[in-house]
Each structure stands twice: as structure tokens, then as C-alpha cells.
Amino acid sequence: MAWDLRGALLKKEERETARLMDFEFRLRARTMRVLAARLNIPSETLVPRIAEGTDDRILRALAREREEDLAALGTILGEATSEAREQLVKELGDPAPYRLA
């Protein structure tokens, strides 16, 4: 009976990739919730936009809709991302120590 090292590593890679992708998605959704709160927008209108495009695209649309400076919105997004990451790390733990190369 032989143990399949390659199979075990592939299984671990799948599991870790799924876990990291889940964290990434949660981070993006949480970031939009925090951003919505900072801009006094209902999160129900902002969070679904993550399915429509990148954060940059969402920011450009927000800048047009709200007639605000794109750079200022970018700064707010950066702060929202940091806050969202802190919240998720407290809830789920830090995914970084287990990252595969």
C-alpha cells in the first residue's frame, strides 16, 4: 500500500485555495459594507456591485454618481479595506500563515 503524496498535496492546495478565496470574497464584501457606512449609503445598494466589476470600477461609478473626487474615494476605500480586514481577522483568524506559494 503506497501513500499518494502528490494527491495529498493537491488536496491540500485545493482546500487552502478555497479557504483563501473565501477570505478574499468576504474581505471584498465587508469592505463595501464599511465603505457604504462611511459614505452614508445603504449597503444593500453597494455590496451587490462587487459582482459587476472591480473595486476601481465601483469607485469610478461612485465618483460620477456622487460627484466626488476619485482620489478621496480611493483613500476612503483603503481605510475601509484595512478596517474590514481587521474585523475579519478577529472573526476568522489570519489566513496569511497558511498561504501556499
Side-chain angles (χ1 to χ4, degrees):
M1 176 188 237
W3 185 64
D4 182 14
L5 177 61
R6 181 181 178 279
L9 289 173
L10 288 174
K11 192 175 201 177
K12 178 178 174 64
E13 180 182 17
E14 282 180 26
R15 191 172 50 250
E16 291 301 306
T17 299
R19 186 180 62 77
L20 291 171
M21 288 175 68
D22 178 64
F23 188 88
E24 239 177 77
F25 176 77
R26 288 173 186 253
L27 176 62
R28 194 157 179 236
R30 181 75 58 100
T31 296
M32 290 301 148
R33 282 193 197 108
V34 172
L35 180 63
R38 289 181 179 217
L39 297 176
N40 296 317
I41 302 172
S43 63
E44 297 83 27
T45 62
L46 191 56
V47 174
R49 290 185 181 190
I50 63 174
E52 298 170 3
T54 63
D55 292 349
D56 187 48
R57 185 175 175 185
I58 294 169
L59 277 186
R60 284 192 308 245
L62 277 174
R64 276 193 315 272
E65 292 166 11
R66 298 173 56 89
E67 298 178 0
E68 290 190 31
D69 181 42
L70 185 60
L73 283 176
T75 301
I76 296 170
L77 177 67
E79 293 168 356
T81 301
S82 294
E83 182 179 331
R85 182 170 178 73
E86 285 178 23
Q87 290 174 5
L88 281 174
V89 167
K90 283 181 185 175
E91 290 174 24
L92 305 174
D94 188 359
Y98 307 107
R99 186 174 297 264
L100 295 176

